[in-house]
Amino acid sequence: MMKFYLKTLTFLLVCCVTFVTSQRNRPIVLEDATVIDSWNTVPITSCFIVIEGNKITYIGKRYQVVIPENAQKFNMNGKYIIPGLIDVESQFRKPEELKTLLSWGVTSANTSFDSYEEAQLFSQMLKLESFHFPDIYITAPTFVTFGNTSGNDE
């Protein structure tokens, strides 16, 4: 009897893993979005975006796209999709502050610290976090000049 339960449990586990994996690998279609990109001078309205795996395979109008049969569809009417933004001069000291940047569409950020050690400590703190955050490029230490920087001795 125990073998029967073990086989049944194994079968159910395999079925569950297969189902979850198949759902995760389904294509995603974002329907009726407004896309702002770097090629067009005006936003593209009523746009469809197809994502397969980790790649965007199509962006354009509905009549131009073949939507995969098993795709997960999300209505994006009234929503805007933009490329990731870059913050070239961030001033943050806590990993939680990075959540705000990400919510604003910032996917890369540059920040400076007063010392190399402070930058290293911040990098170590980020490795312990479990949430997604922008790619961080750290500049350290901060360079400071004093006095006349024009080259004239006046």
Side-chain angles (χ1 to χ4, degrees), residues 1-9:
M1 190 68 161
M2 186 64 152
K3 280 186 178 182
F4 173 75
Y5 287 123
L6 227 75
K7 286 181 181 181
T8 304
L9 183 62

Side-chain angles (χ1 to χ4, degrees), residues 38-73:
S38 58
W39 294 289
N40 294 292
T41 57
V42 296
I44 305 169
T45 57
S46 301
C47 193
F48 281 65
I49 301 170
V50 178
I51 303 167
E52 297 181 83
N54 62 352
K55 294 187 181 197
I56 298 173
T57 58
Y58 179 79
I59 299 178
K61 296 293 185 177
R62 171 64 185 106
Y63 61 86
Q64 299 170 318
V65 65
V66 175
I67 296 177
E69 190 174 299
N70 64 336
Q72 290 179 283
K73 298 176 184 176

